Amino acid sequence: MRRILSAALAGLLITGLAACGGDGDKGTAAPPAGAGVDGVDDGSELTLWTRAPLELQAKALVEAYNASHKNQVELTIVPNDDYVAKVGAAAGSGDLPDLFAADIVYVPNWTKSGLFFDLTESIGQLSYADKINQGHVQAGTYEGKKYVLPFVLDLSVVFWNKGLYKEAGLDPEKGPTTLDEFKQQALAVQKLGKKDVYGTYFGGNCGGCNVFTWFPMVWASGEEVMDPAGTKSLLNGPAAQKVYSTWRELQGAGAIAPGSKDETGATWVAAFQEGKIGVMPYPATLLPTASKTVDVGVTAIPGVTGGGSTFVGGDGIGISKDSKKTQQSWNFMSWLMSEAAQVEVLAKNNSSVARTDLVDNQYSAKDPRVVTINKAAASPQSKTPVAVNFQQAFNAPGSPWVTLLRNQVYGDAGSLEKDNEAVTGVLGQ
């Protein structure tokens, strides 16, 4: 969730590219004669950029592809905080790589700016196209054309510390199924009175952290966070207000760790991994890491009266507008969606698959928690929010969303309508 540091640059990217005539200047990946649904594997050298947080998955995918294909992909890992600037500079000079991944919240902006090649026809030829995670596909759809497929999914779920639950007299095998249960379970851990142990933790000064973990609480309640166009905030609705009051009550009871108030995301998950937090929304990709130090329970993020949702984040991937090897690049992308990549590379390495028909596989079956995570991703209540100005409205430091959430937990809760209008003001620019 370190995307927040790059948000301001990303917000400027669309303006600069539009001035260069980027919008609408995209080709169409119609397969040439003999190319087939899988593209061309003729020994071409391809280039791929991705950001550092996805290094583990990206390297595993590229190594598996290179070992089984004539084409060879050269992978470049870019520091997270440099990625937006590097992509922007390359887009302006016509030097983008053949393939590049993008944080899914930036994809609508970059798609509209013309950075990706049109894959509508190629995606449509895949027999399992309707099984691919539609949140990522929709984020990369502009004016009815599709430009992006999922690269690596990053999902939000609830983690709880089974050891602390047992000490608190809670059932260590049952996490929260409603927001009230979440609050009650956090309070139960808090009542243990253990030094440096708290009921819960959140990123109190981190817009991206709470987009990732609070939005699903609204979706699980059957409500939306924005209008369909992504230009109006709905974060003043009944479900959202219940989310805010839950966290405000936990803060009033002293059940939120003090470090939460100024948490920008850099150490957001550290206290849980140290065994000091009872229950909190958490990135599913960190299950292997957290499990090294804590006996972790996992469930989907609940709503007001139940339900289960996740923010389907992570990165999408597309062929760049500058690639001269579009069909060879499509060969990599079509393989990326195959069972060989999704199951034998991603699932095998404890990452979520991007196809609903591959959720149950021999690797996920070994850990019921992974099955829970995959099923959360496939839930109709799980979503990828789409808005061109998403990063400016929500993720940027000092964004109107950060102001809203801080007021609701730590400040003037009566400012909700004004703060919600401020989010709309940025979304609708």
Side-chain angles (χ1 to χ4, degrees):
M1 297 302 295
R2 296 184 62 212
R3 64 171 70 101
I4 27 192
L5 298 176
S6 301
L9 280 170
L12 295 175
L13 182 56
I14 187 170
T15 303
L17 289 174
C20 295
D23 194 0
D25 186 22
K26 316 175 190 80
T28 302
V37 68
D38 296 325
V40 174
D41 183 20
D42 61 1
S44 293
E45 294 184 2
L46 304 171
T47 52
L48 166 62
W49 290 358
T50 188
R51 57 194 183 100
L54 303 183
E55 181 174 1
L56 181 66
Q57 296 95 330
K59 282 186 173 179
L61 287 164
V62 167
E63 287 174 3
Y65 177 83
N66 287 347
S68 57
H69 290 74
K70 297 176 183 177
N71 294 340
Q72 296 293 289
V73 175
E74 179 184 354
L75 176 65
T76 298
I77 305 293
V78 181
N80 192 65
D81 297 345
D82 299 337
Y83 196 66
V84 172
K86 184 176 178 68
V87 169
S93 62
D95 294 319
L96 286 169
D98 294 299
L99 299 136
F100 71 102
D103 188 318
I104 202 65
V105 301
Y106 297 154
V107 164
N109 182 312
W110 290 2
T111 299
K112 183 178 180 182
S113 298
L115 272 63
F116 294 111
F117 195 78
D118 180 5
L119 299 174
T120 307
E121 186 172 344
S122 294
I123 293 174
Q125 291 184 350
L126 297 175
S127 61
Y128 47 80
D130 61 337
K131 304 297 192 299
I132 298 171
N133 184 277
Q134 293 303 298
H136 276 220
V137 174
Q138 290 166 11
T141 299
Y142 180 64
E143 294 184 340
K145 297 180 179 179
K146 299 174 182 178
Y147 298 91
V148 169
L149 287 173
F151 186 44
V152 176
L153 297 186
D154 189 12
L155 309 170
S156 52
V157 290
V158 170
F159 279 14
W160 72 90
N161 183 318
K162 291 185 178 182
L164 290 176
Y165 267 43
K166 189 173 183 179
E167 287 184 51
L170 299 169
D171 186 338
E173 300 304 321
K174 292 184 178 179
T177 61
T178 66
L179 286 180
D180 281 341
E181 287 186 7
F182 175 84
K183 179 177 69 174
Q184 292 160 5
Q185 292 173 13
L187 289 172
V189 172
Q190 188 64 33
K191 289 177 182 176
L192 289 172
K194 298 184 70 171
K195 188 178 187 306
D196 297 327
V197 170
Y198 292 89
T200 192
Y201 195 100
F202 83 115
N205 199 26
C206 175
C209 301
N210 295 296
V211 158
F212 193 55
T213 57
W214 287 14
F215 281 15
M217 296 177 184
V218 176
W219 295 329
S221 305
E223 297 184 21
E224 299 293 338
V225 298
M226 292 183 290
D227 69 344
T231 57
K232 180 181 179 181
S233 172
L234 304 177
L235 289 164
N236 59 344
Q241 291 187 46
K242 177 65 174 180
V243 173
Y244 310 145
S245 65
T246 297
W247 286 91
R248 192 176 185 91
E249 289 165 16
L250 286 167
Q251 167 60 20
I256 299 177
S260 293
K261 186 172 183 179
D262 297 317
E263 178 61 69
T264 60
T267 58
W268 172 39
V269 300
F272 185 90
Q273 292 181 5
E274 293 167 358
K276 297 178 180 179
I277 302 299
V279 58
M280 65 179 285
Y282 212 88
T285 50
L286 296 182
L287 177 60
T289 303
S291 294
K292 292 178 181 178
T293 54
V294 176
D295 188 3
V296 182
V298 178
T299 190
I301 295 177
V304 174
T305 59
S309 177
T310 181
F311 186 111
V312 185
D315 282 35
I317 187 171
I319 300 172
S320 84
K321 66 180 180 64
D322 299 327
S323 177
K324 302 298 189 292
K325 303 170 184 176
T326 57
Q327 283 304 311
Q328 291 86 348
S329 297
W330 174 249
N331 182 259
F332 175 80
M333 291 188 65
S334 63
W335 172 84
L336 180 64
M337 292 296 100
S338 71
E339 185 171 352
Q342 292 293 310
V343 175
E344 296 302 328
V345 180
L346 291 174
K348 187 177 182 179
N349 288 282
N350 297 312
S351 291
S352 296
V353 298
R355 283 174 49 183
T356 57
D357 58 330
L358 299 177
V359 165
D360 294 319
N361 57 72
Q362 67 264 39
Y363 302 108
S364 65
K366 296 177 181 178
D367 189 340
R369 299 173 302 178
V370 175
V371 175
T372 297
I373 291 168
N374 287 338
K375 287 183 177 178
S379 166
Q381 292 183 317
S382 298
K383 302 180 183 184
T384 303
V386 176
V388 170
N389 294 324
F390 190 97
Q391 58 271 19
Q392 301 99 308
F394 298 110
N395 286 3
S399 71
W401 163 240
V402 172
T403 298
L404 185 155
L405 71 90
R406 286 180 64 81
N407 278 338
Q408 290 305 304
V409 179
Y410 297 108
D412 177 14
S415 66
L416 179 57
E417 294 302 324
K418 180 187 70 174
D419 293 342
N420 185 65
E421 289 176 6
V423 177
T424 293
V426 175
L427 286 172
Q429 286 179 352

